Amino acid sequence: MIKEIAIDGLHIHDIASFYEEINRVFMSDEDWKIGNSLDAFNDLLYGGFGAMKDCGKVRFVWKNVERMQEALGYKATKAYYEDKLQQGALFNKEYFREKLIALENGIGETYFEMLKSIVAAHKNIDLVLV
């Protein structure tokens, strides 16, 4: 049986609200939440906790995807990279500098596209954009 899980782009205004929506949908039965991190989102999709616990095949529906794509597009991604660069030694500055340059040159992924790539790496998840 395929489990369907849906998030709504109308609830997403920036990167932080994306994770609020993910926690609202995926983690409602848990007493903890995932952090605002691409790695945490990826870990969540492996299953074992939250809405993904004991799941086989999953149909992951992104509703109002145009809103989500806009909220997690160029502007949000640029701010994300600039924040990483300002935090100093915590992050690989050269990596994030290269990502920012690629984004500014129109060849880098937006945060929205990074999220889609993460989902695509999970063969048990079918992503449906509506």
Side-chain angles (χ1 to χ4, degrees):
M1 185 171 176
I2 297 175
K3 180 174 186 171
E4 184 170 300
I5 301 171
I7 60 172
D8 191 340
L10 294 178
H11 299 161
I12 299 167
H13 312 287
D14 54 19
I15 292 172
S17 61
F18 167 77
Y19 290 101
E20 289 171 9
E21 177 72 351
I22 291 299
N23 279 310
R24 183 185 70 78
V25 171
F26 282 84
M27 302 296 289
S28 63
D29 292 336
E30 298 288 344
D31 61 358
W32 60 280
K33 305 293 180 205
I34 69 164
N36 296 6
S37 155
L38 292 167
D39 289 334
F41 178 64
N42 188 43
D43 290 346
L44 171 71
L45 298 180
Y46 279 108
F49 55 89
M52 295 291 292
K53 187 174 184 174
D54 301 323
C55 283
K57 193 77 171 158
V58 174
R59 184 174 188 251
F60 191 8
V61 180
W62 290 4
K63 298 177 181 177
N64 298 298
V65 73
E66 297 86 9
R67 174 69 176 111
M68 184 174 162
Q69 187 172 11
E70 179 183 325
L72 303 175
Y74 178 87
K75 185 177 176 182
T77 308
K78 185 174 185 207
Y80 167 76
Y81 288 142
E82 289 171 344
D83 182 60
K84 296 293 186 193
L85 290 170
Q86 290 176 2
Q87 292 186 37
L90 294 175
F91 299 100
N92 180 339
K93 288 178 117 177
E94 188 58 33
Y95 172 81
F96 287 107
R97 189 174 294 110
E98 289 172 8
K99 293 291 192 176
L100 177 58
I101 291 168
L103 179 72
E104 291 173 335
N105 289 327
I107 56 174
E109 286 185 313
T110 64
Y111 206 88
F112 177 81
E113 292 164 333
M114 288 185 269
L115 293 169
K116 282 179 36 181
S117 294
I118 289 169
V119 175
H122 294 269
K123 302 304 177 197
N124 63 314
I125 301 174
D126 291 327
L127 181 60
V128 180
L129 308 176
V130 294

mmCIF file of all heavy atoms in Angstrom, residues 1-2 7-8 10-11 17-19 21 39 44-45 48 58 68-70 73 83 99-101 107 113-114 120 123 127:
data_model
loop_
_atom_site.group_PDB
_atom_site.id
_atom_site.type_symbol
_atom_site.label_atom_id
_atom_site.label_comp_id
_atom_site.label_asym_id
_atom_site.label_seq_id
_atom_site.Cartn_x
_atom_site.Cartn_y
_atom_site.Cartn_z
ATOM 1 N N MET A 1 0.836 -1.178 0.000
ATOM 2 C CA MET A 1 0.000 0.000 0.000
ATOM 3 C C MET A 1 0.887 1.250 0.000
ATOM 4 O O MET A 1 1.896 1.313 0.684
ATOM 5 C CB MET A 1 -0.908 -0.002 1.221
ATOM 6 C CG MET A 1 -1.882 1.118 1.255
ATOM 7 S SD MET A 1 -3.055 0.815 2.613
ATOM 8 C CE MET A 1 -3.983 2.288 2.527
ATOM 9 N N ILE A 2 0.492 2.234 -0.767
ATOM 10 C CA ILE A 2 1.239 3.479 -0.865
ATOM 11 C C ILE A 2 0.667 4.494 0.123
ATOM 12 O O ILE A 2 -0.531 4.744 0.144
ATOM 13 C CB ILE A 2 1.174 4.048 -2.298
ATOM 14 C CG1 ILE A 2 1.831 3.073 -3.275
ATOM 15 C CG2 ILE A 2 1.839 5.405 -2.364
ATOM 16 C CD1 ILE A 2 1.711 3.483 -4.718
ATOM 17 N N ILE A 7 2.283 18.271 1.623
ATOM 18 C CA ILE A 7 2.571 19.564 2.225
ATOM 19 C C ILE A 7 1.947 20.621 1.322
ATOM 20 O O ILE A 7 1.707 20.383 0.145
ATOM 21 C CB ILE A 7 4.078 19.818 2.422
ATOM 22 C CG1 ILE A 7 4.838 19.789 1.093
ATOM 23 C CG2 ILE A 7 4.655 18.818 3.407
ATOM 24 C CD1 ILE A 7 6.291 20.218 1.223
ATOM 25 N N ASP A 8 1.686 21.792 1.897
ATOM 26 C CA ASP A 8 0.994 22.847 1.159
ATOM 27 C C ASP A 8 1.890 24.071 1.016
ATOM 28 O O ASP A 8 2.304 24.665 2.015
ATOM 29 C CB ASP A 8 -0.299 23.229 1.880
ATOM 30 C CG ASP A 8 -1.199 24.111 1.050
ATOM 31 O OD1 ASP A 8 -0.724 24.754 0.092
ATOM 32 O OD2 ASP A 8 -2.402 24.172 1.368
ATOM 33 N N LEU A 10 1.157 26.955 0.273
ATOM 34 C CA LEU A 10 0.578 28.173 0.825
ATOM 35 C C LEU A 10 1.097 28.464 2.231
ATOM 36 O O LEU A 10 1.029 29.595 2.698
ATOM 37 C CB LEU A 10 -0.951 28.098 0.829
ATOM 38 C CG LEU A 10 -1.621 28.058 -0.546
ATOM 39 C CD1 LEU A 10 -3.128 27.937 -0.402
ATOM 40 C CD2 LEU A 10 -1.240 29.274 -1.386
ATOM 41 N N HIS A 11 1.624 27.433 2.905
ATOM 42 C CA HIS A 11 2.181 27.605 4.247
ATOM 43 C C HIS A 11 3.658 27.974 4.206
ATOM 44 O O HIS A 11 4.259 28.183 5.261
ATOM 45 C CB HIS A 11 2.014 26.327 5.066
ATOM 46 C CG HIS A 11 0.594 25.929 5.270
ATOM 47 N ND1 HIS A 11 0.227 24.658 5.625
ATOM 48 C CD2 HIS A 11 -0.567 26.620 5.158
ATOM 49 C CE1 HIS A 11 -1.086 24.593 5.731
ATOM 50 N NE2 HIS A 11 -1.584 25.776 5.447
ATOM 51 N N SER A 17 9.868 28.522 7.138
ATOM 52 C CA SER A 17 8.481 28.042 7.106
ATOM 53 C C SER A 17 8.346 26.728 6.346
ATOM 54 O O SER A 17 7.405 25.967 6.597
ATOM 55 C CB SER A 17 7.532 29.108 6.538
ATOM 56 O OG SER A 17 7.883 29.448 5.221
ATOM 57 N N PHE A 18 9.280 26.418 5.447
ATOM 58 C CA PHE A 18 9.291 25.092 4.821
ATOM 59 C C PHE A 18 9.464 24.025 5.905
ATOM 60 O O PHE A 18 8.725 23.041 5.956
ATOM 61 C CB PHE A 18 10.399 24.965 3.774
ATOM 62 C CG PHE A 18 10.631 23.540 3.335
ATOM 63 C CD1 PHE A 18 9.755 22.924 2.446
ATOM 64 C CD2 PHE A 18 11.688 22.803 3.840
ATOM 65 C CE1 PHE A 18 9.944 21.601 2.068
ATOM 66 C CE2 PHE A 18 11.891 21.483 3.463
ATOM 67 C CZ PHE A 18 11.014 20.879 2.571
ATOM 68 N N TYR A 19 10.430 24.247 6.792
ATOM 69 C CA TYR A 19 10.675 23.268 7.854
ATOM 70 C C TYR A 19 9.540 23.240 8.875
ATOM 71 O O TYR A 19 9.247 22.179 9.434
ATOM 72 C CB TYR A 19 12.043 23.497 8.506
ATOM 73 C CG TYR A 19 13.153 23.132 7.545
ATOM 74 C CD1 TYR A 19 13.840 24.112 6.844
ATOM 75 C CD2 TYR A 19 13.467 21.802 7.280
ATOM 76 C CE1 TYR A 19 14.825 23.771 5.927
ATOM 77 C CE2 TYR A 19 14.442 21.449 6.368
ATOM 78 C CZ TYR A 19 15.115 22.446 5.692
ATOM 79 O OH TYR A 19 16.077 22.097 4.779
ATOM 80 N N GLU A 21 6.426 23.574 8.050
ATOM 81 C CA GLU A 21 5.431 22.740 7.367
ATOM 82 C C GLU A 21 5.832 21.267 7.402
ATOM 83 O O GLU A 21 5.000 20.387 7.650
ATOM 84 C CB GLU A 21 5.238 23.226 5.922
ATOM 85 C CG GLU A 21 4.290 22.403 5.096
ATOM 86 C CD GLU A 21 2.816 22.532 5.460
ATOM 87 O OE1 GLU A 21 2.476 23.151 6.495
ATOM 88 O OE2 GLU A 21 1.982 21.983 4.705
ATOM 89 N N ASP A 39 20.293 18.315 5.374
ATOM 90 C CA ASP A 39 20.676 16.987 5.872
ATOM 91 C C ASP A 39 19.566 16.388 6.732
ATOM 92 O O ASP A 39 19.268 15.197 6.633
ATOM 93 C CB ASP A 39 21.974 17.059 6.679
ATOM 94 C CG ASP A 39 23.189 17.327 5.808
ATOM 95 O OD1 ASP A 39 23.165 16.994 4.610
ATOM 96 O OD2 ASP A 39 24.173 17.883 6.331
ATOM 97 N N LEU A 44 15.114 12.538 7.392
ATOM 98 C CA LEU A 44 13.686 12.288 7.608
ATOM 99 C C LEU A 44 13.128 11.354 6.545
ATOM 100 O O LEU A 44 12.351 10.441 6.839
ATOM 101 C CB LEU A 44 12.923 13.614 7.595
ATOM 102 C CG LEU A 44 11.395 13.521 7.600
ATOM 103 C CD1 LEU A 44 10.901 13.050 8.954
ATOM 104 C CD2 LEU A 44 10.785 14.865 7.242
ATOM 105 N N LEU A 45 13.530 11.558 5.302
ATOM 106 C CA LEU A 45 12.983 10.770 4.197
ATOM 107 C C LEU A 45 13.440 9.320 4.202
ATOM 108 O O LEU A 45 12.814 8.470 3.567
ATOM 109 C CB LEU A 45 13.326 11.436 2.857
ATOM 110 C CG LEU A 45 12.749 12.836 2.668
ATOM 111 C CD1 LEU A 45 13.147 13.386 1.304
ATOM 112 C CD2 LEU A 45 11.240 12.864 2.849
ATOM 113 N N GLY A 48 11.841 5.737 9.595
ATOM 114 C CA GLY A 48 12.225 5.331 10.939
ATOM 115 C C GLY A 48 11.582 6.158 12.035
ATOM 116 O O GLY A 48 11.572 5.768 13.188
ATOM 117 N N VAL A 58 5.958 5.715 -0.778
ATOM 118 C CA VAL A 58 5.331 6.962 -0.352
ATOM 119 C C VAL A 58 5.059 7.829 -1.571
ATOM 120 O O VAL A 58 5.910 7.951 -2.466
ATOM 121 C CB VAL A 58 6.239 7.735 0.636
ATOM 122 C CG1 VAL A 58 5.655 9.095 0.971
ATOM 123 C CG2 VAL A 58 6.462 6.920 1.906
ATOM 124 N N MET A 68 5.476 27.581 -3.431
ATOM 125 C CA MET A 68 6.643 27.018 -2.777
ATOM 126 C C MET A 68 7.902 27.288 -3.603
ATOM 127 O O MET A 68 8.949 27.653 -3.055
ATOM 128 C CB MET A 68 6.436 25.518 -2.586
ATOM 129 C CG MET A 68 7.513 24.826 -1.836
ATOM 130 S SD MET A 68 6.991 23.115 -1.567
ATOM 131 C CE MET A 68 8.552 22.397 -1.186
ATOM 132 N N GLN A 69 7.798 27.119 -4.911
ATOM 133 C CA GLN A 69 8.934 27.347 -5.799
ATOM 134 C C GLN A 69 9.392 28.814 -5.731
ATOM 135 O O GLN A 69 10.587 29.096 -5.710
ATOM 136 C CB GLN A 69 8.552 26.970 -7.226
ATOM 137 C CG GLN A 69 9.691 27.005 -8.196
ATOM 138 C CD GLN A 69 9.295 26.431 -9.542
ATOM 139 O OE1 GLN A 69 8.125 26.186 -9.835
ATOM 140 N NE2 GLN A 69 10.280 26.209 -10.374
ATOM 141 N N GLU A 70 8.440 29.718 -5.657
ATOM 142 C CA GLU A 70 8.757 31.143 -5.546
ATOM 143 C C GLU A 70 9.404 31.450 -4.193
ATOM 144 O O GLU A 70 10.420 32.143 -4.110
ATOM 145 C CB GLU A 70 7.494 31.981 -5.715
ATOM 146 C CG GLU A 70 7.720 33.464 -5.595
ATOM 147 C CD GLU A 70 6.416 34.244 -5.697
ATOM 148 O OE1 GLU A 70 5.520 33.847 -6.454
ATOM 149 O OE2 GLU A 70 6.311 35.267 -4.992
ATOM 150 N N GLY A 73 12.998 30.101 -4.022
ATOM 151 C CA GLY A 73 13.704 30.354 -5.269
ATOM 152 C C GLY A 73 15.010 31.107 -5.079
ATOM 153 O O GLY A 73 15.675 31.018 -4.040
ATOM 154 N N ASP A 83 24.185 33.778 4.263
ATOM 155 C CA ASP A 83 24.187 33.485 5.697
ATOM 156 C C ASP A 83 25.274 32.476 6.042
ATOM 157 O O ASP A 83 25.973 32.629 7.043
ATOM 158 C CB ASP A 83 22.809 32.975 6.127
ATOM 159 C CG ASP A 83 22.753 32.701 7.616
ATOM 160 O OD1 ASP A 83 22.980 33.643 8.400
ATOM 161 O OD2 ASP A 83 22.476 31.542 7.992
ATOM 162 N N LYS A 99 28.834 27.857 -4.741
ATOM 163 C CA LYS A 99 27.396 27.668 -4.947
ATOM 164 C C LYS A 99 26.694 29.002 -5.206
ATOM 165 O O LYS A 99 25.817 29.092 -6.063
ATOM 166 C CB LYS A 99 26.757 26.965 -3.742
ATOM 167 C CG LYS A 99 27.193 25.535 -3.556
ATOM 168 C CD LYS A 99 26.647 24.685 -4.665
ATOM 169 C CE LYS A 99 26.804 23.223 -4.385
ATOM 170 N NZ LYS A 99 26.201 22.393 -5.409
ATOM 171 N N LEU A 100 27.086 30.029 -4.468
ATOM 172 C CA LEU A 100 26.505 31.360 -4.645
ATOM 173 C C LEU A 100 26.848 31.911 -6.028
ATOM 174 O O LEU A 100 25.974 32.442 -6.724
ATOM 175 C CB LEU A 100 26.985 32.307 -3.551
ATOM 176 C CG LEU A 100 26.506 33.752 -3.644
ATOM 177 C CD1 LEU A 100 24.979 33.830 -3.641
ATOM 178 C CD2 LEU A 100 27.084 34.572 -2.500
ATOM 179 N N ILE A 101 28.079 31.769 -6.455
ATOM 180 C CA ILE A 101 28.490 32.250 -7.780
ATOM 181 C C ILE A 101 27.716 31.523 -8.870
ATOM 182 O O ILE A 101 27.229 32.142 -9.825
ATOM 183 C CB ILE A 101 30.017 32.100 -7.967
ATOM 184 C CG1 ILE A 101 30.751 33.092 -7.054
ATOM 185 C CG2 ILE A 101 30.416 32.294 -9.424
ATOM 186 C CD1 ILE A 101 32.233 32.842 -6.936
ATOM 187 N N ILE A 107 23.283 29.120 -13.140
ATOM 188 C CA ILE A 107 23.515 27.685 -13.347
ATOM 189 C C ILE A 107 23.431 26.871 -12.051
ATOM 190 O O ILE A 107 23.559 25.655 -12.079
ATOM 191 C CB ILE A 107 24.882 27.420 -14.034
ATOM 192 C CG1 ILE A 107 26.023 28.045 -13.233
ATOM 193 C CG2 ILE A 107 24.872 27.969 -15.461
ATOM 194 C CD1 ILE A 107 27.411 27.704 -13.752
ATOM 195 N N GLU A 113 14.982 23.502 -5.820
ATOM 196 C CA GLU A 113 15.556 22.443 -6.658
ATOM 197 C C GLU A 113 16.407 21.478 -5.839
ATOM 198 O O GLU A 113 16.410 20.266 -6.110
ATOM 199 C CB GLU A 113 16.366 23.069 -7.800
ATOM 200 C CG GLU A 113 15.488 23.803 -8.791
ATOM 201 C CD GLU A 113 16.231 24.743 -9.713
ATOM 202 O OE1 GLU A 113 17.319 25.262 -9.343
ATOM 203 O OE2 GLU A 113 15.713 24.979 -10.816
ATOM 204 N N MET A 114 17.092 21.989 -4.826
ATOM 205 C CA MET A 114 17.861 21.101 -3.949
ATOM 206 C C MET A 114 16.941 20.137 -3.216
ATOM 207 O O MET A 114 17.239 18.936 -3.094
ATOM 208 C CB MET A 114 18.683 21.914 -2.950
ATOM 209 C CG MET A 114 19.866 22.631 -3.574
ATOM 210 S SD MET A 114 20.891 23.461 -2.342
ATOM 211 C CE MET A 114 20.140 25.084 -2.317
ATOM 212 N N ALA A 120 14.272 13.008 -4.906
ATOM 213 C CA ALA A 120 14.515 12.107 -6.041
ATOM 214 C C ALA A 120 15.506 11.002 -5.699
ATOM 215 O O ALA A 120 15.457 9.915 -6.292
ATOM 216 C CB ALA A 120 15.005 12.905 -7.242
ATOM 217 N N LYS A 123 14.290 6.330 -3.711
ATOM 218 C CA LYS A 123 13.561 5.573 -4.736
ATOM 219 C C LYS A 123 12.190 5.082 -4.266
ATOM 220 O O LYS A 123 11.337 4.753 -5.081
ATOM 221 C CB LYS A 123 14.406 4.391 -5.239
ATOM 222 C CG LYS A 123 15.743 4.822 -5.813
ATOM 223 C CD LYS A 123 15.556 5.833 -6.923
ATOM 224 C CE LYS A 123 16.891 6.319 -7.449
ATOM 225 N NZ LYS A 123 16.823 7.530 -8.200
ATOM 226 N N LEU A 127 7.442 11.821 -6.026
ATOM 227 C CA LEU A 127 7.106 13.229 -5.798
ATOM 228 C C LEU A 127 6.078 13.677 -6.823
ATOM 229 O O LEU A 127 6.260 13.494 -8.013
ATOM 230 C CB LEU A 127 8.376 14.086 -5.908
ATOM 231 C CG LEU A 127 8.204 15.582 -5.666
ATOM 232 C CD1 LEU A 127 7.659 15.858 -4.261
ATOM 233 C CD2 LEU A 127 9.544 16.292 -5.877
#
